Structures are given as structure tokens and as C-alpha cells.
Amino acid sequence: MTVRDRFGQPASQVVAVDVAAPASEAVPAAPPEAPAPASPTAPPPRYTEGLQATGGQPRRVGQVRRRIPIGKILVEEGIITDNQLARALAHQKESGERLGRVILSLGFASPDSIAAAVARQLGIDFINLADIVLDEGTLLRIPEHMARRHRVIPIRVENGTMVLGMEDPGDVVALDDLRRVTGLEIRPAVITPDAFQRALNQYPVAVDQMLAEIKQHEGVATDEMPEHQLRAVADDAPVVRLANMVIIQAIRQGASDIHVEPQEQRVRIRYRVDGTLYSVMTPPKHIQAALISRLKIMASMDIAERRIPQDGRIQMEVDNRDIDFRVSTIPSVFGEKLVMRILDKSGAFVGIEKLGLLPEDHQRFERIITRPHGIILLTGPTGSGKTTTLYAILNRLNSVEVNITTIEDPVEYQLPGIAQVQINPKAGLTFASGLRSFLRQDPDIIMVGEIRDEETARIANHAALTGHLVLSTLHTNDAPGAVTRLVDMGIEPFLVSSSLIGVIAQRLVRVLCQRCREPYTPTEDVLRRVGLTNLPEPPTMYRAVGCEFCSTIGYKGRLGIFEIMTVDEEIKSLVVKHANSSQIKEAAIAAGMRTLQEDGLAKVLNGTTSLEEVLRVVFVEE
């Protein structure tokens, strides 16, 4: 019988831990070219937070007498507690997953913390790729397809040795393969999966060569071509590569939409990243018909029809992720405009802790979503992150003890253990009919993509009143407005007051790049406009500048600003009395609700975002 300690590690074995293995397993494989094992009395290997702390000399993976378990390292660093480790080990025993992944899924530690713990365990560096501008020449030392296959990024070369960022530094096959390809010695360092994906975006793309190959093609496509000739040109290799490159680069840059827009002299291609459109390419006019026809073929659309709008869908796998695209075309003066909405089917959504909730709002949020029954509504315009928040809630509530069913349009992310239904109006499957059927499926939690009409609202109220937790969205500008919207739909006020337990209004703002943001002191006029004249001294705010780390944009990523209204007895009383939204808002603020404006300004004052971003998405009352 093998004796194990409380961290799940064998108590008396000489092992070298493979970071890809569960922490409760011993893997008798050492990384290549490891130095001699350390003496039993040697101190555990130290780690650093990057190359700078070691003078640019990362350590090699070494075999020691005994590796410190990942769980113990995280406890010693104060990242997790003993109780959290015990819970993670219990989950690992049930699921068989790697301990690091279990800790990450439970929200106990960040990817950077886990990667740093792996680096300490192996005696090598953890490198944060956000701190490094990768050199194009260094990247080209390893072909992109090999970097993607082995999940590695070449970071720097010095004295005949390549510093190589790896998700799995114990991958001996990858190390041997890359040593053979580069002709260099390899010094592995730990990077996170997210950092790897972002670094792939920096690989150079030979766009000019693709466009030159299309130009040299004898049959340059035009809208006047017969369908069979246009299809032949669209299937030509350079056009296929260009279309695939446009799609793949958009996904790697985190875009939510791709716009292909014909202009008078050129074609403009733009990506929507973090809610804002950026021009990424303006190829010449002669590729317009071929590129758009190729994308229409991929979406199973009629390439011969260019006079009316069309809709289609593409499904493809990019970087081992299943991606869906909703494709739409409309005729314009200079040709067909094509827009593709990107839907990542692999479930790459964020947890509740990453939504951007301030501590007080986080507590209110948790109190609402842990209620056993009632209706929780998320409100805001299209593109305000409502679906992301809904999935974060479902992921938190999902367990084997509850039955969760959703009806959506479309099913954007696939959640394990949850029955997800796509509406099909042509077959008679609508939000209302699906919700009615769900009540015969013994559900505990029901998620309805959107309450659009009285019938859906009435069935949702019935479900909430009969002991179910119902999650849905509604298009209103603020949280109190959701109450009056339900009443306007025809739901009796006493039913609304009995079933509604909370409303969460939200918007999305871009996050300032922490490397290049610039501090400044706002003028008195600005402070007066946003209602900050009562502060003891002028506050410091930050504005966007732009640097190489944020692609000169000044922002990197997005988070939410929230207005969380808990429906208490005072608000229920007002609803029954047919109070308007202003009266309900006053009562909610008196009960502690932070408005969208106040939440946005709080995030301006703590340096998370800029005042311009908040003013862009929220009307600030003077």
C-alpha cells in the first residue's frame, strides 16, 4: 500500500512530476538533459516571476529527490487555504482531472498562480508573456503549425540556447522535436494557455503574398461572372487561404465580429474587438467578388444571388476549438457587405469572479443567485454581456444535485451536464412552448434566453411561483425598468412582486492598459458634470495612451459595470401599488443599490477604466 500525504503525494518515492499529470500520481519521467539529482538535504527549488529576476538566465528542469506537490506550493504561497485544497482534492478524486485544472475550475486560484506553482515545482521560470514583446525573427525559428501543435512560443535566443515558453514543460517529445528543428538547446519556461493563445496572434502572416497570387490568377472574379466561373475562382487555393486567414486571425485576436465591406476603390476588412471596430486590412477591389463568394460558399449561401440579403452559418475548428459563425450579407452600392458573428462553442466563458463586480456588489449578486426559487432578470442592450453573465451564473449553480434546462437562440456555449435547447420557430419550438414543456421535465433551474412576449413572461412567472429558479434577459435600460416592463407586457403587479427576486442591469466598458495608462487630474467642470464635487480633494483619473502591448489602442479587455436590485418588501409593496420606475429606483438606492453611473465612476476612480468609456455607455446625470 502506498502511503500518501495530505496533498495527495506519495510519501516515500523519488519522482519527477510531469505538469500534465494529476498531482496525486507519480510520473517516473525526467525532462531531457536534467542535471544530477539534488541531495536529499538540498532545499526545494526556487522560482522567479520571469527572466528579469534571474538576469535573463532561466533554469533548466531538474530532477530532485522529492517534488513539492502543487497543492502544498499554493498553500505555502497563500494562494489557497488548507480547506480549499481539501475540497479540490475531493473533486479531483471524483473527476480524475489534474489538480491544477480542478483548482482553476473552482475559482480558487488564477491561471498565473497555478503556472507559477508549476514553475516552482520544476525549478524553472514562470514567464508572463504580457511582459514581453516577441521578436518576429525569433518566432520564425519555429513554424506556426509546430508551435500550435506543441503549445509552445519561442521567447528569445541567446548563446545558442532558445528560451521556450511551454504549457507543458515536461513534454519530452516536444522538446526533442523542437531541438531537432531549431538546432538549438532548449530551456523551457512555463506559460499559461491564455498567454499562448495571445502570443500566436504575433506570428507574421504573409498577406501580401496571398494578394499577389490572387492578382496573378488569369480569371480575376467579378460580379458579372457566370456562377460556375465565380465558384471556380472562389475555390482557388490563394482565395481559400485568404478567407481562412481572415477568419483565423479574427479568432486569435479575440474578435466577436468580422466585417467585409466593399468600398469604391478597395475592400475594407474590420474586426470588432472589445466592442470596438478596428480596420485590419484593405485589400484591392479585384479580390472582392472572390473573397465574398468564398465566404458565402462556406456558409452554404447562394453565390449567384446578390440582390437580396442572405443568412447562413459556418462551423469549423480553429486551434482545437469548435467555432460557429452566423453569416449575413446585404446588397450595397459597391457590392455585397458581409458580416460574420463569431460564437465560440467550446465554452470559453468567464467565471463570476471575472465579471468585474466590486466587493459589495459581489455579495449582493451571490445572495440573489443562491435563492432557491424566483425570477432573476438581466437587462441591457444588445452586446452588453448579458449572455456571458447568464452562463457564469449557470456554471456556478451547475452540480449533479440539480436539473438545469435552458432554451436559447442560439446556444452559444455548451455546458456539460445541462440540457440546452435551441429554439426552432418553423417547427413550433419557441421560448414559450419550450418553457411550457420544461415544466414537465422536473427542472430545478430554467434559463430562458429572452422574455419577448406576455406568454413567455406568464409561463416564467408560473414556473417561479411553483418552486423553480428562472433566469432570463429583458431589454430595458436599467434594473428598476424591468419591473414596469413586465407590467406593461400584461403581467399583473401582484404576480411580479411575488415572483421577481432580483434584477441585474449591466454594460461593458473597456479596461485601460495598465502599462501605458496616463494619470491626470480632471477639471472642476468635468467633476461637476459627473457629480464628484463633494470629494475632499481632486481625484486622480487615467486615460488611454496606447503601446505595443495593447496594439496602440490603450485598452485591453472588457469588464462589466452593474446595477443590482434586490426585490425586498419595500419594492414589492411599490410594485403592487403600480409605482413607476423612478419611485422603485429611489427605494432600491435607499436599500443599497449602486447605479450604473455610480459603479462606472467607482471603476474610473480605481483606475480600471477611463471616464470617456463610462460616458460612452452610460448617461451620466449632471
Side-chain angles (χ1 to χ4, degrees):
M1 181 178 71
T2 301
V3 179
R4 299 177 183 270
D5 64 18
R6 67 190 181 97
F7 299 102
Q9 185 75 9
S12 57
Q13 294 187 21
V14 178
V15 297
V17 175
D18 182 344
V19 297
S24 59
E25 294 182 6
V27 182
E33 299 189 16
S39 66
T41 59
R46 304 298 297 169
Y47 76 104
T48 65
E49 291 296 333
L51 291 176
Q52 295 177 351
T54 57
Q57 296 295 330
R59 299 180 176 88
R60 298 186 179 206
V61 178
Q63 183 178 11
V64 296
R65 179 67 60 179
R66 179 131 183 274
R67 297 290 186 194
I68 305 175
I70 292 292
K72 183 175 182 180
I73 293 173
L74 291 171
V75 171
E76 289 179 351
E77 295 291 330
I79 305 299
I80 65 175
T81 64
D82 285 318
N83 183 50
Q84 289 175 327
L85 176 59
R87 288 178 57 190
L89 289 171
H91 276 273
Q92 184 203 26
K93 185 176 180 180
E94 294 177 1
S95 65
E97 289 186 309
R98 301 164 190 167
L99 183 59
R101 289 185 178 179
V102 172
I103 293 172
L104 187 62
S105 66
L106 291 174
F108 294 159
S110 67
D112 283 0
S113 298
I114 293 173
V118 171
R120 175 180 172 183
Q121 183 188 58
L122 297 178
I124 61 176
D125 283 310
F126 161 59
I127 296 180
N128 186 352
L129 290 183
D131 296 334
I132 299 171
V133 178
L134 299 175
D135 176 69
E136 181 176 314
T138 303
L139 287 172
L140 292 176
R141 294 280 191 128
I142 297 177
E144 183 183 355
H145 66 91
M146 290 191 68
R148 188 181 308 117
R149 182 171 73 247
H150 292 307
R151 314 285 293 181
V152 301
I153 294 293
I155 296 172
R156 61 186 298 179
V157 176
E158 52 184 15
N159 300 325
T161 299
M162 173 179 286
V163 178
L164 186 69
M166 306 181 69
E167 285 188 25
D168 179 9
D171 188 345
V172 179
V173 174
L175 289 167
D176 287 342
D177 195 9
L178 297 171
R179 184 182 294 109
R180 185 168 52 252
V181 168
T182 62
L184 301 168
E185 289 298 313
I186 302 295
R187 292 181 178 175
V190 183
I191 60 174
T192 64
D194 287 346
F196 165 77
Q197 289 294 341
R198 289 193 299 269
L200 273 182
N201 300 339
Q202 299 184 40
Y203 260 92
V205 180
V207 177
D208 294 339
Q209 182 180 350
M210 293 183 191
L211 297 179
E213 291 177 4
I214 296 173
K215 186 175 182 179
Q216 293 169 3
H217 195 286
E218 294 181 358
V220 174
T222 64
D223 287 341
E224 291 74 25
M225 267 188 177
E227 179 181 353
H228 69 279
Q229 293 183 14
L230 188 59
R231 187 177 293 273
V233 174
D235 287 338
D236 198 39
V239 178
V240 172
R241 287 200 300 272
L242 178 62
N244 290 339
M245 185 274 295
V246 168
I247 291 174
I248 291 171
Q249 287 298 108
I251 293 169
R252 291 179 181 170
Q253 292 183 26
S256 60
D257 301 87
I258 303 171
H259 292 241
V260 183
E261 304 166 324
Q263 308 291 307
E264 185 174 7
Q265 301 296 331
R266 305 186 72 82
V267 180
R268 182 172 65 178
I269 298 176
R270 295 193 290 174
Y271 296 161
R272 186 178 295 279
V273 181
D274 293 336
T276 304
L277 283 168
Y278 299 99
S279 180
V280 295
M281 191 188 312
T282 53
K285 187 74 172 178
H286 69 261
I287 69 104
Q288 172 182 313
L291 176 60
I292 291 179
S293 295
R294 177 63 199 167
L295 295 172
K296 289 173 68 175
I297 289 172
M298 295 171 69
S300 302
M301 300 162 74
D302 184 359
I303 65 171
E305 182 56 75
R306 294 181 286 272
R307 300 166 298 174
I308 60 174
Q310 293 190 66
D311 294 304
R313 175 165 291 183
I314 300 173
Q315 293 181 316
M316 62 187 298
E317 184 177 297
V318 179
D319 295 337
N320 298 317
R321 295 154 57 194
D322 293 325
I323 309 292
D324 265 12
F325 303 85
R326 286 185 288 175
V327 186
S328 172
T329 64
I330 58 171
S332 71
V333 174
F334 300 116
E336 283 184 290
K337 176 183 176 181
L338 183 143
V339 175
M340 306 173 68
R341 167 62 59 87
I342 301 173
L343 302 174
D344 188 345
K345 306 289 283 186
S346 65
F349 51 90
V350 302
I352 288 175
E353 63 280 354
K354 294 183 180 180
L355 293 176
L357 292 161
L358 294 175
E360 310 85 47
D361 283 341
H362 195 285
Q363 294 176 8
R364 295 170 66 87
F365 190 94
E366 291 283 356
R367 284 198 299 268
I368 290 175
I369 69 172
T370 52
R371 296 278 291 273
H373 54 79
I375 297 178
I376 300 173
L377 293 177
L378 279 81
T379 73
T382 300
S384 60
K386 299 187 301 295
T387 301
T388 299
T389 303
L390 272 178
Y391 277 106
I393 295 172
L394 288 177
N395 191 49
R396 170 65 62 84
L397 300 178
N398 188 16
S399 68
V400 295
E401 292 84 12
V402 296
N403 177 23
I404 303 178
T405 310
T406 76
I407 183 163
E408 309 169 52
D409 181 28
V411 176
E412 295 193 17
Y413 304 119
Q414 296 175 348
L415 298 177
I418 294 179
Q420 296 174 268
V421 178
Q422 166 77 51
I423 73 166
N424 187 354
K426 292 181 179 179
L429 179 56
T430 62
F431 283 124
S433 63
L435 184 54
R436 188 180 294 108
S437 299
F438 287 176
L439 297 178
R440 297 189 287 271
Q441 290 284 315
D442 185 32
D444 297 296
I445 301 171
I446 299 171
M447 192 269 271
V448 184
E450 182 183 350
I451 293 180
R452 297 176 178 173
D453 51 45
E454 179 185 353
E455 183 182 10
T456 306
R458 195 167 292 279
I459 299 171
N461 266 271
H462 174 72
L465 293 172
T466 53
H468 305 89
L469 182 64
V470 181
L471 309 173
S472 191
T473 66
L474 202 62
H475 285 286
T476 62
N477 290 326
D478 58 9
V483 177
T484 54
R485 179 78 178 97
L486 289 174
V487 174
D488 291 342
M489 280 184 174
I491 308 302
E492 292 80 0
F494 71 90
L495 288 178
V496 175
S497 67
S498 300
S499 60
L500 191 64
I501 59 175
V503 184
I504 302 167
Q506 70 177 85
R507 302 288 190 276
L508 290 178
V509 294
R510 292 180 293 173
V511 178
L512 283 167
C513 175
Q514 301 299 301
R515 294 188 163 276
C516 64
R517 64 178 186 172
E518 179 182 76
Y520 72 100
T521 301
T523 65
E524 291 184 5
D525 289 341
V526 170
L527 294 176
R528 189 180 303 110
R529 180 187 175 189
V530 298
L532 293 176
T533 55
N534 58 344
L535 296 177
E537 57 183 28
T540 298
M541 294 184 180
Y542 294 86
R543 54 178 157 233
V545 176
C547 64
E548 65 271 20
F549 293 98
C550 59
S551 302
T552 70
I553 296 170
Y555 298 93
K556 202 170 185 66
R558 287 192 294 177
L559 54 72
I561 57 175
F562 297 91
E563 183 175 279
I564 303 175
M565 184 181 78
T566 301
V567 181
D568 57 15
E569 293 302 322
E570 176 65 22
I571 293 177
K572 288 182 179 180
S573 175
L574 290 172
V575 174
V576 172
K577 295 176 182 177
H578 297 267
N580 59 38
S581 61
S582 296
Q583 294 171 311
I584 295 172
K585 183 175 183 178
E586 290 177 3
I589 292 173
M593 182 185 80
R594 190 199 308 266
T595 65
L596 286 169
Q597 173 181 333
E598 292 169 343
D599 193 42
L601 291 177
K603 287 164 183 170
V604 170
L605 294 176
N606 67 19
T608 301
T609 189
S610 66
L611 183 59
E612 292 77 12
E613 269 296 288
V614 173
L615 294 176
R616 182 177 65 86
V617 299
V618 177
F619 173 72
V620 176
E621 299 178 2
E622 299 185 20

